[in-house]
Amino acid sequence: MWVLMYVFSYSVSPAATDDRAEWRLLPTVVFQEFSNEERCKAAKSALEGSLQEAGAKLRSGLEDLKSLRKADPAQVIIAYNVECLPK
């Protein structure tokens, strides 16, 4: 038995937006069991790709806002870790 574990969080500081509040998603931890290592690794690969794509879209949108002097992508932190672990 294998377990896919991933941790995801992000933070946007007030300097990145016109809002005076910091936006923060506390770390989310998710576990999913798989019957074998290959299925776990396939899910890990798909999840990492999805998280990378989501982060790229967020940064791209902030780059557009930066050109209007409305945001700074440097003030955004996106963190994630995805692991397949034997149970």
Side-chain angles (χ1 to χ4, degrees):
M1 186 70 66
W2 285 79
V3 175
L4 175 73
M5 178 206 65
Y6 75 89
V7 181
F8 175 77
S9 67
Y10 73 86
S11 175
V12 178
S13 77
T17 68
D18 288 336
D19 191 348
R20 297 285 180 229
E22 182 169 345
W23 305 344
R24 182 178 297 246
L25 175 67
L26 296 176
T28 301
V29 181
V30 177
F31 297 93
Q32 176 68 48
E33 290 187 355
F34 289 88
S35 58
N36 61 53
E37 184 179 10
E38 292 77 28
R39 292 186 70 188
C40 187
K41 286 185 175 183
K44 176 184 180 210
S45 178
L47 182 57
E48 285 175 328
S50 179
L51 291 172
Q52 287 174 351
E53 184 178 322
K57 285 180 181 178
L58 176 60
R59 290 204 187 278
S60 174
L62 287 171
E63 286 291 346
D64 292 344
L65 291 173
K66 183 179 180 181
S67 67
L68 300 172
R69 298 183 180 265
K70 296 285 185 185
D72 183 358
Q75 301 297 320
V76 177
I77 298 169
I78 301 168
Y80 64 88
N81 186 39
V82 184
E83 297 290 337
C84 277
L85 307 166
K87 183 174 178 184

Coordinates of all heavy atoms in Angstrom, one line a residue:
M1 N 0.9 -1.2 0.0 CA 0.0 0.0 0.0 C 0.9 1.2 0.0 O 1.9 1.3 0.7 CB -0.9 0.0 1.2 CG -1.9 1.1 1.3 SD -3.3 0.9 0.1 CE -4.1 -0.6 0.7
W2 N 0.5 2.2 -0.8 CA 1.2 3.5 -0.9 C 0.3 4.6 -0.5 O -0.9 4.6 -0.8 CB 1.8 3.7 -2.3 CG 3.0 2.8 -2.5 CD1 2.9 1.4 -2.8 CD2 4.3 3.1 -2.4 NE1 4.2 1.0 -2.9 CE2 5.1 2.0 -2.7 CE3 5.0 4.3 -2.2 CZ2 6.5 2.0 -2.7 CZ3 6.4 4.3 -2.2 CH2 7.1 3.2 -2.4
V3 N 0.9 5.7 0.0 CA 0.1 6.9 0.4 C 0.7 8.1 -0.4 O 1.9 8.3 -0.3 CB 0.1 7.1 1.9 CG1 -0.6 8.4 2.2 CG2 -0.5 6.0 2.6
L4 N -0.2 8.8 -1.1 CA 0.2 10.1 -1.7 C -0.1 11.1 -0.7 O -1.3 11.2 -0.2 CB -0.6 10.3 -3.0 CG -0.4 11.7 -3.6 CD1 1.0 11.7 -4.3 CD2 -1.5 11.9 -4.7
M5 N 0.9 11.9 -0.3 CA 0.7 13.0 0.6 C 1.0 14.3 -0.1 O 2.0 14.4 -0.8 CB 1.6 12.9 1.8 CG 1.4 14.0 2.8 SD 2.9 14.3 3.8 CE 4.1 14.8 2.7
Y6 N 0.2 15.3 0.0 CA 0.6 16.6 -0.5 C 0.2 17.7 0.5 O -0.7 17.6 1.2 CB 0.1 16.9 -1.9 CG -1.3 17.2 -2.1 CD1 -1.7 18.6 -2.1 CD2 -2.2 16.3 -2.4 CE1 -3.1 18.9 -2.3 CE2 -3.6 16.6 -2.7 CZ -4.0 17.9 -2.6 OH -5.3 18.2 -2.8
V7 N 1.1 18.7 0.5 CA 0.9 19.9 1.3 C 0.9 21.1 0.4 O 1.7 21.2 -0.5 CB 2.1 20.1 2.3 CG1 1.9 21.3 3.2 CG2 2.3 18.8 3.1
F8 N -0.1 22.0 0.6 CA -0.2 23.2 -0.3 C -0.6 24.4 0.6 O -1.4 24.3 1.5 CB -1.3 22.9 -1.3 CG -1.6 24.1 -2.2 CD1 -0.8 24.4 -3.2 CD2 -2.7 24.9 -1.9 CE1 -1.0 25.6 -4.0 CE2 -3.0 26.1 -2.7 CZ -2.1 26.4 -3.8
S9 N 0.1 25.5 0.3 CA -0.3 26.8 0.9 C 0.1 27.9 0.0 O 0.9 27.8 -0.9 CB 0.4 26.9 2.3 OG 1.8 27.0 2.1
Y10 N -0.5 29.1 0.3 CA -0.1 30.3 -0.5 C -0.3 31.5 0.4 O -1.0 31.4 1.4 CB -0.8 30.4 -1.8 CG -2.2 30.9 -1.7 CD1 -2.6 32.2 -1.6 CD2 -3.3 29.9 -1.7 CE1 -3.9 32.6 -1.5 CE2 -4.6 30.3 -1.6 CZ -4.9 31.6 -1.5 OH -6.2 32.0 -1.4
S11 N 0.4 32.5 0.1 CA 0.3 33.8 0.8 C 0.5 34.9 -0.2 O 1.3 34.9 -1.0 CB 1.4 33.9 1.9 OG 1.4 35.1 2.5
V12 N -0.4 35.9 0.0 CA -0.3 37.1 -0.8 C -0.2 38.3 0.2 O -1.1 38.5 0.9 CB -1.5 37.3 -1.8 CG1 -1.4 38.6 -2.6 CG2 -1.7 36.2 -2.7
S13 N 0.9 39.0 0.1 CA 1.1 40.1 1.1 C 0.3 41.3 0.6 O 0.0 41.5 -0.5 CB 2.6 40.4 1.3 OG 3.0 41.2 0.2
P14 N 0.0 42.2 1.6 CA -0.7 43.5 1.2 C 0.0 44.3 0.1 O -0.6 45.0 -0.6 CB -0.8 44.2 2.5 CG -0.6 43.2 3.6 CD 0.3 42.1 3.0
A15 N 1.3 44.2 0.1 CA 2.1 45.0 -0.9 C 1.7 44.5 -2.4 O 2.0 45.3 -3.3 CB 3.6 44.8 -0.7
A16 N 1.2 43.3 -2.5 CA 0.9 42.8 -3.8 C -0.4 43.3 -4.4 O -0.7 43.1 -5.6 CB 0.9 41.2 -3.8
T17 N -1.3 43.8 -3.5 CA -2.6 44.2 -4.0 C -3.0 45.6 -3.4 O -2.2 46.1 -2.5 CB -3.7 43.2 -3.5 OG1 -3.8 43.3 -2.1 CG2 -3.3 41.8 -3.9
D18 N -4.1 46.1 -3.8 CA -4.6 47.3 -3.2 C -5.2 47.1 -1.8 O -5.5 48.0 -1.1 CB -5.6 48.0 -4.1 CG -4.9 48.6 -5.3 OD1 -3.7 49.0 -5.2 OD2 -5.6 48.8 -6.4
D19 N -5.5 45.8 -1.6 CA -6.1 45.4 -0.3 C -5.1 45.6 0.8 O -3.9 45.3 0.6 CB -6.6 44.0 -0.4 CG -7.5 43.6 0.7 OD1 -7.6 44.3 1.7 OD2 -8.1 42.5 0.6
R20 N -5.5 46.0 2.0 CA -4.6 46.1 3.1 C -4.4 44.9 3.9 O -3.6 44.8 4.8 CB -5.1 47.3 4.0 CG -5.1 48.6 3.4 CD -3.7 49.1 3.2 NE -3.8 50.4 2.6 CZ -3.0 50.8 1.5 NH1 -2.2 49.9 1.0 NH2 -3.1 52.0 1.0
A21 N -5.1 43.8 3.6 CA -5.1 42.6 4.3 C -4.2 41.6 3.6 O -4.1 41.6 2.4 CB -6.5 42.0 4.5
E22 N -3.5 40.7 4.4 CA -2.7 39.7 3.8 C -3.7 38.5 3.6 O -4.5 38.1 4.4 CB -1.6 39.2 4.8 CG -0.7 38.2 4.2 CD 0.5 37.9 5.0 OE1 0.9 38.8 5.8 OE2 1.2 36.9 4.8
W23 N -3.5 37.9 2.4 CA -4.3 36.7 2.1 C -3.4 35.5 2.4 O -2.4 35.4 1.8 CB -4.8 36.7 0.7 CG -5.5 37.9 0.2 CD1 -6.1 38.8 1.0 CD2 -5.8 38.3 -1.1 NE1 -6.7 39.8 0.3 CE2 -6.5 39.5 -1.0 CE3 -5.5 37.8 -2.3 CZ2 -7.0 40.2 -2.2 CZ3 -5.9 38.5 -3.5 CH2 -6.6 39.7 -3.4
R24 N -3.9 34.6 3.2 CA -3.1 33.4 3.5 C -3.9 32.2 3.6 O -4.9 32.2 4.3 CB -2.3 33.7 4.8 CG -1.4 32.5 5.2 CD -0.7 32.9 6.5 NE 0.1 34.1 6.3 CZ 1.5 34.1 6.3 NH1 2.1 33.0 6.6 NH2 2.1 35.2 6.1
L25 N -3.5 31.1 2.9 CA -4.2 29.8 3.0 C -3.2 29.0 3.9 O -2.1 28.8 3.5 CB -4.4 29.2 1.7 CG -4.9 27.8 1.7 CD1 -6.4 27.8 2.2 CD2 -4.9 27.1 0.3
L26 N -3.6 28.7 5.1 CA -2.8 27.8 5.9 C -2.6 26.5 5.2 O -3.4 26.1 4.4 CB -3.4 27.6 7.3 CG -3.6 28.9 8.1 CD1 -4.3 28.7 9.4 CD2 -2.3 29.6 8.4
P27 N -1.4 25.9 5.5 CA -1.1 24.6 4.8 C -2.3 23.6 4.9 O -2.9 23.4 6.0 CB 0.1 24.1 5.6 CG 0.7 25.3 6.1 CD -0.4 26.2 6.5
T28 N -2.6 23.0 3.8 CA -3.6 22.0 3.6 C -2.8 20.7 3.4 O -1.9 20.6 2.5 CB -4.5 22.3 2.4 OG1 -5.1 23.5 2.7 CG2 -5.5 21.2 2.3
V29 N -3.1 19.7 4.2 CA -2.4 18.4 4.0 C -3.5 17.4 3.6 O -4.5 17.2 4.2 CB -1.7 17.9 5.3 CG1 -1.0 16.6 5.1 CG2 -0.8 19.0 5.8
V30 N -3.2 16.6 2.5 CA -4.1 15.6 2.0 C -3.4 14.3 1.9 O -2.2 14.3 1.4 CB -4.7 16.1 0.6 CG1 -5.6 15.0 0.1 CG2 -5.4 17.4 0.8
F31 N -4.1 13.2 2.2 CA -3.5 11.9 2.1 C -4.5 11.1 1.2 O -5.7 11.2 1.4 CB -3.4 11.2 3.4 CG -2.4 11.9 4.4 CD1 -2.9 12.8 5.3 CD2 -1.1 11.6 4.3 CE1 -2.0 13.4 6.2 CE2 -0.2 12.2 5.2 CZ -0.7 13.1 6.1
Q32 N -3.9 10.3 0.3 CA -4.7 9.4 -0.5 C -4.0 8.1 -0.7 O -2.8 8.0 -1.0 CB -4.9 10.0 -1.9 CG -5.7 9.1 -2.9 CD -7.1 8.9 -2.5 OE1 -7.8 9.9 -2.2 NE2 -7.6 7.7 -2.5
E33 N -4.7 7.0 -0.4 CA -4.1 5.6 -0.5 C -4.1 5.1 -1.9 O -5.1 5.3 -2.6 CB -4.7 4.7 0.5 CG -4.5 5.0 1.9 CD -5.0 3.9 2.8 OE1 -5.7 3.0 2.4 OE2 -4.7 4.0 4.1
F34 N -3.1 4.4 -2.3 CA -3.0 3.7 -3.6 C -2.5 2.2 -3.4 O -1.8 2.0 -2.5 CB -2.1 4.4 -4.5 CG -2.6 5.7 -5.0 CD1 -2.4 6.9 -4.3 CD2 -3.3 5.8 -6.2 CE1 -2.9 8.1 -4.7 CE2 -3.9 7.0 -6.6 CZ -3.6 8.1 -5.9
S35 N -3.0 1.4 -4.2 CA -2.7 -0.1 -4.1 C -1.2 -0.4 -4.5 O -0.7 -1.4 -4.1 CB -3.7 -0.9 -4.9 OG -3.6 -0.6 -6.2
N36 N -0.6 0.4 -5.4 CA 0.7 0.2 -5.7 C 1.5 1.5 -6.0 O 0.9 2.5 -6.2 CB 0.8 -0.8 -6.9 CG 0.1 -0.2 -8.2 OD1 0.4 0.9 -8.6 ND2 -0.8 -1.0 -8.7
E37 N 2.8 1.3 -6.1 CA 3.7 2.5 -6.2 C 3.5 3.2 -7.6 O 3.5 4.4 -7.7 CB 5.1 2.1 -6.1 CG 6.1 3.2 -6.2 CD 7.6 2.8 -6.0 OE1 7.8 1.5 -6.0 OE2 8.4 3.6 -5.8
E38 N 3.2 2.5 -8.6 CA 3.1 3.1 -10.0 C 1.9 4.0 -10.0 O 1.9 5.1 -10.6 CB 2.9 2.0 -11.0 CG 4.2 1.1 -11.3 CD 4.4 0.1 -10.2 OE1 3.4 -0.4 -9.6 OE2 5.6 -0.2 -9.9
R39 N 0.8 3.6 -9.4 CA -0.4 4.4 -9.4 C -0.2 5.6 -8.6 O -0.7 6.7 -8.9 CB -1.6 3.6 -8.9 CG -2.1 2.5 -9.9 CD -3.3 1.8 -9.5 NE -4.4 2.8 -9.6 CZ -5.6 2.6 -9.2 NH1 -5.9 1.4 -8.6 NH2 -6.6 3.4 -9.4
C40 N 0.5 5.5 -7.5 CA 0.8 6.6 -6.6 C 1.7 7.6 -7.4 O 1.4 8.8 -7.4 CB 1.5 6.2 -5.4 SG 1.8 7.4 -4.1
K41 N 2.7 7.1 -8.1 CA 3.6 8.0 -8.8 C 2.9 8.7 -10.0 O 3.2 9.9 -10.3 CB 4.8 7.3 -9.3 CG 5.8 6.9 -8.1 CD 7.1 6.3 -8.6 CE 8.0 6.1 -7.5 NZ 9.3 5.6 -7.9
A42 N 2.0 8.0 -10.6 CA 1.2 8.7 -11.7 C 0.3 9.8 -11.1 O 0.3 10.9 -11.7 CB 0.3 7.6 -12.4
A43 N -0.3 9.6 -10.0 CA -1.1 10.6 -9.4 C -0.2 11.8 -8.9 O -0.6 12.9 -9.1 CB -1.9 10.0 -8.2
K44 N 0.9 11.5 -8.4 CA 1.9 12.5 -8.0 C 2.3 13.4 -9.1 O 2.3 14.6 -9.0 CB 3.1 11.8 -7.3 CG 4.2 12.8 -6.9 CD 5.4 12.2 -6.4 CE 6.4 13.3 -6.1 NZ 7.8 12.9 -6.2
S45 N 2.6 12.8 -10.2 CA 3.0 13.5 -11.4 C 1.9 14.4 -11.9 O 2.1 15.6 -12.2 CB 3.4 12.5 -12.5 OG 3.8 13.2 -13.7
A46 N 0.7 13.9 -12.0 CA -0.5 14.7 -12.4 C -0.8 15.9 -11.4 O -1.0 17.0 -11.9 CB -1.7 13.8 -12.5
L47 N -0.7 15.6 -10.2 CA -0.9 16.6 -9.2 C 0.1 17.7 -9.2 O -0.2 18.9 -9.2 CB -1.0 16.0 -7.8 CG -1.3 17.0 -6.6 CD1 -2.6 17.7 -6.8 CD2 -1.3 16.2 -5.3
E48 N 1.4 17.3 -9.3 CA 2.5 18.3 -9.5 C 2.3 19.2 -10.7 O 2.4 20.4 -10.6 CB 3.8 17.7 -9.5 CG 4.3 17.1 -8.2 CD 5.6 16.3 -8.2 OE1 5.9 15.7 -9.3 OE2 6.3 16.4 -7.2
G49 N 1.9 18.6 -11.8 CA 1.7 19.4 -13.0 C 0.5 20.4 -12.8 O 0.6 21.5 -13.2
S50 N -0.5 19.9 -12.2 CA -1.7 20.8 -11.9 C -1.3 22.0 -11.0 O -1.7 23.1 -11.3 CB -2.8 20.0 -11.3 OG -3.9 20.8 -11.0
L51 N -0.6 21.7 -10.0 CA -0.2 22.7 -9.0 C 0.8 23.7 -9.7 O 0.7 25.0 -9.5 CB 0.5 22.1 -7.8 CG -0.5 21.4 -6.9 CD1 0.3 20.7 -5.8 CD2 -1.5 22.3 -6.3
Q52 N 1.7 23.2 -10.5 CA 2.6 24.1 -11.3 C 1.8 25.0 -12.2 O 2.1 26.2 -12.3 CB 3.6 23.3 -12.1 CG 4.7 22.7 -11.2 CD 5.6 21.8 -12.0 OE1 5.4 21.5 -13.1 NE2 6.7 21.4 -11.3
E53 N 0.8 24.4 -12.9 CA 0.0 25.2 -13.9 C -0.8 26.3 -13.1 O -0.9 27.4 -13.6 CB -0.9 24.3 -14.6 CG -1.7 24.9 -15.7 CD -2.6 24.0 -16.4 OE1 -2.2 22.8 -16.7 OE2 -3.8 24.3 -16.8
A54 N -1.4 25.9 -12.0 CA -2.2 26.9 -11.2 C -1.3 28.0 -10.8 O -1.7 29.2 -10.8 CB -2.8 26.2 -10.0
G55 N -0.1 27.7 -10.3 CA 0.8 28.8 -9.9 C 1.2 29.7 -11.0 O 1.3 30.9 -10.8
A56 N 1.5 29.1 -12.2 CA 1.9 29.9 -13.3 C 0.7 30.8 -13.7 O 1.0 32.0 -14.1 CB 2.2 29.0 -14.5
K57 N -0.5 30.4 -13.7 CA -1.7 31.2 -14.0 C -1.8 32.4 -13.1 O -2.1 33.5 -13.5 CB -3.0 30.4 -14.1 CG -3.1 29.5 -15.3 CD -4.4 28.7 -15.2 CE -4.5 27.8 -16.4 NZ -5.7 27.0 -16.4
L58 N -1.6 32.1 -11.8 CA -1.7 33.1 -10.8 C -0.6 34.2 -11.0 O -0.9 35.4 -11.0 CB -1.6 32.5 -9.4 CG -1.5 33.5 -8.2 CD1 -2.8 34.3 -8.2 CD2 -1.3 32.8 -6.9
R59 N 0.6 33.7 -11.2 CA 1.7 34.7 -11.4 C 1.5 35.5 -12.7 O 1.8 36.7 -12.8 CB 3.0 33.9 -11.4 CG 3.4 33.4 -10.1 CD 4.9 33.2 -9.9 NE 5.2 32.6 -8.6 CZ 5.2 33.2 -7.5 NH1 5.0 34.4 -7.4 NH2 5.5 32.5 -6.4
S60 N 1.0 34.8 -13.7 CA 0.7 35.5 -15.0 C -0.3 36.6 -14.8 O -0.2 37.7 -15.3 CB 0.2 34.5 -16.1 OG -0.1 35.2 -17.2
G61 N -1.4 36.3 -14.1 CA -2.4 37.3 -13.8 C -1.9 38.5 -13.0 O -2.2 39.6 -13.3
L62 N -1.0 38.2 -12.1 CA -0.4 39.3 -11.3 C 0.6 40.1 -12.1 O 0.8 41.3 -11.9 CB 0.3 38.7 -10.1 CG -0.6 38.2 -9.0 CD1 0.1 37.5 -7.9 CD2 -1.4 39.4 -8.4
E63 N 1.3 39.4 -13.1 CA 2.2 40.2 -14.0 C 1.4 41.2 -14.8 O 1.8 42.3 -15.0 CB 2.9 39.2 -14.9 CG 4.0 38.4 -14.3 CD 5.2 39.3 -13.9 OE1 5.4 40.5 -14.3 OE2 6.1 38.8 -13.1
D64 N 0.2 40.8 -15.2 CA -0.7 41.7 -16.0 C -1.1 42.9 -15.1 O -1.1 44.0 -15.5 CB -2.0 41.0 -16.4 CG -1.7 39.9 -17.5 OD1 -0.6 39.9 -18.1 OD2 -2.6 39.1 -17.7
L65 N -1.4 42.6 -13.8 CA -1.8 43.7 -12.9 C -0.5 44.5 -12.6 O -0.7 45.7 -12.4 CB -2.3 43.1 -11.6 CG -3.7 42.5 -11.7 CD1 -4.1 41.8 -10.4 CD2 -4.8 43.5 -12.1
K66 N 0.6 43.9 -12.6 CA 1.9 44.7 -12.3 C 2.1 45.8 -13.4 O 2.5 46.9 -13.1 CB 3.1 43.8 -12.2 CG 4.4 44.5 -11.8 CD 5.5 43.5 -11.8 CE 6.8 44.3 -11.4 NZ 7.9 43.4 -11.4
S67 N 1.8 45.4 -14.6 CA 2.0 46.3 -15.7 C 1.0 47.6 -15.5 O 1.3 48.6 -16.0 CB 1.7 45.7 -17.1 OG 0.4 45.3 -17.2
L68 N -0.1 47.4 -14.8 CA -1.0 48.5 -14.5 C -0.7 49.1 -13.1 O -1.4 49.9 -12.6 CB -2.4 47.9 -14.5 CG -2.9 47.3 -15.8 CD1 -4.3 46.7 -15.6 CD2 -3.0 48.4 -16.9
R69 N 0.4 48.7 -12.5 CA 0.8 49.1 -11.2 C -0.2 48.8 -10.1 O -0.4 49.6 -9.2 CB 1.2 50.6 -11.2 CG 2.3 51.0 -12.1 CD 2.6 52.5 -12.0 NE 3.7 52.8 -12.9 CZ 5.0 52.9 -12.5 NH1 5.3 52.6 -11.3 NH2 5.9 53.2 -13.4
K70 N -0.8 47.6 -10.2 CA -1.8 47.2 -9.3 C -1.4 46.0 -8.4 O -2.1 45.6 -7.5 CB -3.1 46.8 -10.0 CG -3.8 48.0 -10.7 CD -4.4 48.9 -9.8 CE -5.2 50.0 -10.5 NZ -5.7 51.0 -9.6
A71 N -0.3 45.4 -8.8 CA 0.2 44.2 -8.0 C 1.6 43.9 -8.2 O 2.3 44.5 -9.1 CB -0.6 43.0 -8.5
D72 N 2.2 43.1 -7.3 CA 3.6 42.7 -7.4 C 3.7 41.2 -7.2 O 3.6 40.8 -6.1 CB 4.4 43.5 -6.4 CG 5.9 43.2 -6.5 OD1 6.3 42.4 -7.4 OD2 6.7 43.8 -5.7
P73 N 4.0 40.5 -8.3 CA 4.1 39.0 -8.1 C 5.2 38.6 -7.1 O 5.1 37.5 -6.6 CB 4.4 38.5 -9.5 CG 4.0 39.6 -10.4 CD 4.1 40.9 -9.6
A74 N 6.2 39.4 -6.9 CA 7.2 39.0 -5.9 C 6.7 38.9 -4.5 O 7.3 38.3 -3.6 CB 8.3 40.1 -5.9
Q75 N 5.5 39.4 -4.3 CA 4.9 39.4 -2.9 C 4.0 38.1 -2.8 O 3.2 38.1 -1.8 CB 4.1 40.6 -2.7 CG 4.9 41.9 -2.7 CD 6.0 41.9 -1.6 OE1 5.8 41.5 -0.5 NE2 7.2 42.4 -2.0
V76 N 4.0 37.2 -3.7 CA 3.2 36.0 -3.7 C 4.1 34.8 -3.4 O 5.1 34.6 -4.0 CB 2.4 35.8 -5.0 CG1 1.6 34.5 -4.9 CG2 1.5 37.0 -5.3
I77 N 3.7 34.0 -2.4 CA 4.4 32.8 -2.1 C 3.4 31.6 -2.3 O 2.3 31.6 -1.7 CB 4.9 32.8 -0.6 CG1 5.9 34.0 -0.4 CG2 5.5 31.5 -0.3 CD1 6.2 34.2 1.0
I78 N 3.8 30.7 -3.2 CA 3.0 29.5 -3.4 C 4.0 28.3 -3.0 O 5.0 28.2 -3.6 CB 2.6 29.4 -4.9 CG1 1.7 30.6 -5.3 CG2 1.8 28.1 -5.1 CD1 1.5 30.7 -6.8
A79 N 3.5 27.5 -2.1 CA 4.4 26.4 -1.6 C 3.6 25.1 -1.7 O 2.4 25.1 -1.3 CB 4.9 26.7 -0.2
Y80 N 4.2 24.1 -2.2 CA 3.6 22.8 -2.2 C 4.7 21.7 -2.2 O 5.8 21.9 -2.7 CB 2.7 22.6 -3.4 CG 3.3 22.6 -4.7 CD1 3.8 21.4 -5.3 CD2 3.4 23.8 -5.5 CE1 4.4 21.5 -6.6 CE2 4.0 23.8 -6.7 CZ 4.4 22.6 -7.3 OH 5.0 22.7 -8.5
N81 N 4.3 20.5 -1.7 CA 5.2 19.4 -1.7 C 4.3 18.1 -1.9 O 3.3 18.0 -1.3 CB 6.0 19.3 -0.4 CG 7.0 18.1 -0.4 OD1 7.6 17.9 -1.5 ND2 7.1 17.4 0.7
V82 N 4.7 17.3 -2.8 CA 3.9 16.1 -3.1 C 4.9 14.9 -3.0 O 6.0 14.9 -3.6 CB 3.4 16.1 -4.6 CG1 2.5 14.9 -4.8 CG2 2.6 17.4 -4.8
E83 N 4.5 13.9 -2.2 CA 5.3 12.7 -2.0 C 4.5 11.4 -2.1 O 3.3 11.4 -1.7 CB 5.9 12.8 -0.6 CG 6.9 13.9 -0.4 CD 8.2 13.8 -1.1 OE1 8.6 12.7 -1.5 OE2 8.8 14.9 -1.4
C84 N 5.1 10.4 -2.5 CA 4.5 9.0 -2.5 C 5.3 8.3 -1.4 O 6.6 8.2 -1.5 CB 4.7 8.3 -3.8 SG 3.4 8.6 -5.0
L85 N 4.6 7.8 -0.4 CA 5.3 7.1 0.7 C 4.7 5.7 0.9 O 3.5 5.5 0.8 CB 5.0 7.9 2.0 CG 5.4 9.4 2.0 CD1 4.7 10.1 3.1 CD2 6.8 9.6 1.9
P86 N 5.6 4.7 1.2 CA 5.1 3.4 1.5 C 4.4 3.4 2.8 O 4.8 4.1 3.8 CB 6.4 2.5 1.5 CG 7.5 3.5 1.8 CD 7.1 4.8 1.2
K87 N 3.3 2.6 2.9 CA 2.5 2.6 4.1 C 2.9 1.4 5.0 O 3.2 0.4 4.5 CB 1.0 2.5 3.8 CG 0.1 2.5 5.0 CD -1.3 2.6 4.6 CE -2.2 2.6 5.8 NZ -3.6 2.5 5.5

